[in-house]
Amino acid sequence: MPESNLAERSDRSEEQVSGAKVIAQALKTQNVEYMFGVVGIPVTEIAIAAQELGIRYIGMRNEQAACYAASAVGYLTGRPLIVIGGSSERNQETMGAFQEFPQVEACRPYSKFSVRPSSIEAIPTVIEKAVRSSIYGRPGACYVDIPADFVTLQVNVDSIKYKECCMPPPVSMAETSAVCMAASIIRNAKQPLLIIGKGAAYAHAEESIRKLVEQCKLPFLPTPMGKGVVPDNHPNCVSAARSRALQFADVIVLFGARLNWILHFGLPPRYQPDVKFIQVDICAEELGNNVRPAVTLLGDINAVTKQLLEQFDKTPWQYPPESKWWNTLREKMKSNDAASKELASKKSLPMNYYTVFYHIQEQLPRDCFVVSEGANTMDIGRTVLQNYLPRHRLDAGTFGTMGVGLGFAIAAALVAKDRNPGKRVICVEGDSAFGFSGMEVETICRYNLPIILLVVNNNGIYHGVDKDSWKEMLKCQDATTVAPPMCLLPDSHYEQVMAAFGGKGYFAQTPEELQKSLRQTLEDTTKPSLINIMIEPQGTRKAQDFHWLTRSNM
């Protein structure tokens, strides 16, 4: 062997690499594109090493918001959340080390895979398994614990064997006999309904589900994050008659939608006692929760929908578009739309929710991402603000967690900037919800992300009081004894938070001011903006057929 080759081999055998660089390279090998975090000892070096390899690092102001952003990127790109946490040095365990805590054990109940690598050499294998576990089956978060001494520890570069990027998730299909039975039940339905859930959006099932809706002339109802799988303005969308559709359907097909609190557990009085559910889900453990289904179709939602379509291609069938059921739904949709429009047309000031959302809807770009959180802000907003594309609505979802909004908006803006330049992100926040992660406005401005924040400000949680009432309350007693627990400081100028960091802030008290400020923000693509929209402190939803979620005597 030539001496030069021997020298090169000798040099390489002596080359060292740090744990931080091994972690970064292992992530890069698994096609990780984005990293969110709040750096500090011992993870700063990991972020720097990731940037050197081209992974985009976004420094957040709060670790909670960082996780929200990472989870939303996972939903939008199909690469779910991997949490990497720094822990105390191994030789200090049980000694009361800095922030010593059983992190692996603590994360295990809440993640699909939670582990600490046994050595730096084991890191690539652990990272590959974490990524694979997160995307196979029902997607979910995984946790990888990194001892502080691993980050700077040097090992021989030849001792590291990086794992090839994991394969895409396998596509599973339902049993043929179950598909045939489901098709038969649908054909015999008198009052059918399709419910399109977040799982259908994640599975990219939009083309097959839309074909099923149109080919069989079936009414459908999207869940909050199922909006846009089939456009909200599709003639078969019955969102405006949601309660009526759920209450009187005799056959309901669930496409990646769970019978949890969002769908009232599938139980009476919100549903007929003898309603037949057909569940389509990737997760076997989800099948049969709360209600015994007539048929279960376990598999990838897109693949299973195509299996159903094959049945209707073999023997064509359409639900009669002029049936009594369709007429009932259309009448209810018409009356509910009229009630909402009447509220929206009110000229009184301060504005109500419906006035605000109808004016926003008029100007929203059809291809924008809509992010939303809050109580009435989110609930009323989803009934008015339309989605026309799949995976373009992000909200508090199953857990109803407040604080997700700005993290989700940052995630959507990054994905939009990389894949669809020019696409806008509209983040609609209640004033209370905005407070949970408001400092992420600085993050938005630091990275100059194309986000428009709309803070719907009613001076409180659910409702507040006006400035004059607030002053009167404080004349005699301390705020801690007389201020209602739901109240926030009246007329807070949240738009000044955006202006403080270099973005544009607007204060809107009238429909004209709202229209003008929204028009200006949509025209200006150079910097982020926030519109603080003042509404009636006691504003609420239109009358509902049923109590939503929980009852209250307030």
Side-chain angles (χ1 to χ4, degrees), residues 100-155:
E100 182 178 351
F101 188 78
Q103 293 168 195
V104 174
E105 292 81 1
C107 290
R108 191 161 283 137
Y110 310 106
S111 59
K112 294 183 72 178
F113 179 58
S114 182
V115 67
R116 171 189 279 193
S118 58
S119 64
I120 290 179
E121 289 80 2
I123 286 172
T125 298
V126 165
I127 294 290
E128 187 274 341
K129 183 171 182 179
V131 171
R132 177 163 40 86
S133 299
S134 74
I135 63 176
Y136 278 36
R138 177 192 279 178
C142 293
Y143 176 71
V144 178
D145 191 73
I146 303 296
D149 51 310
F150 272 19
V151 176
T152 55
L153 187 64
Q154 302 278 324
V155 298

Side-chain angles (χ1 to χ4, degrees), residues 157-338:
V157 71
D158 284 339
S159 69
I160 306 297
K161 307 297 180 189
Y162 293 101
K163 297 278 287 185
E164 187 178 351
C165 184
C166 65
M167 296 173 64
V171 175
S172 54
M173 300 174 74
E175 294 180 56
T176 303
S177 59
V179 175
C180 292
M181 186 182 297
S184 175
I185 291 174
I186 293 169
R187 290 178 197 276
N188 289 300
K190 299 291 188 293
Q191 298 179 168
L193 178 67
L194 309 183
I195 298 181
I196 302 171
K198 178 173 67 177
Y202 185 80
H204 289 248
E206 52 267 18
E207 288 186 18
S208 54
I209 289 179
R210 182 166 185 166
K211 184 177 179 183
L212 181 66
V213 165
E214 294 178 346
Q215 184 170 319
C216 296
K217 310 293 188 205
L218 292 165
F220 75 89
L221 181 71
T223 64
M225 284 177 61
K227 283 165 64 70
V229 170
V230 182
D232 283 346
N233 65 342
H234 193 284
N236 290 35
C237 180
V238 296
S239 290
R242 182 182 188 275
S243 293
R244 188 63 52 89
L246 295 178
Q247 189 180 11
F248 293 106
D250 65 345
V251 172
I252 296 177
V253 188
L254 300 164
F255 290 100
R258 306 176 198 171
L259 288 176
N260 55 21
W261 67 273
I262 291 178
L263 289 175
H264 321 292
F265 312 108
L267 299 174
R270 302 304 296 262
Y271 295 83
Q272 291 296 300
D274 57 352
V275 60
K276 294 179 180 178
F277 285 103
I278 298 170
Q279 281 188 276
V280 184
D281 209 286
I282 191 69
C283 179
E285 289 80 1
E286 197 60 45
L287 301 173
N289 276 350
N290 299 320
V291 176
R292 183 182 179 88
V295 185
T296 59
L297 301 176
L298 177 63
D300 174 82
I301 292 165
N302 189 36
V304 173
T305 306
K306 289 179 179 178
Q307 287 181 279
L308 280 170
L309 279 167
E310 287 176 6
Q311 295 298 314
F312 293 114
D313 286 339
K314 288 178 185 175
T315 310
W317 171 85
Q318 290 184 347
Y319 183 69
E322 298 304 322
S323 65
K324 184 179 178 182
W325 177 232
W326 259 122
N327 290 336
T328 299
L329 293 174
R330 289 186 186 115
E331 286 173 10
K332 186 62 175 174
M333 289 166 66
K334 186 177 179 180
S335 65
N336 281 346
D337 281 339

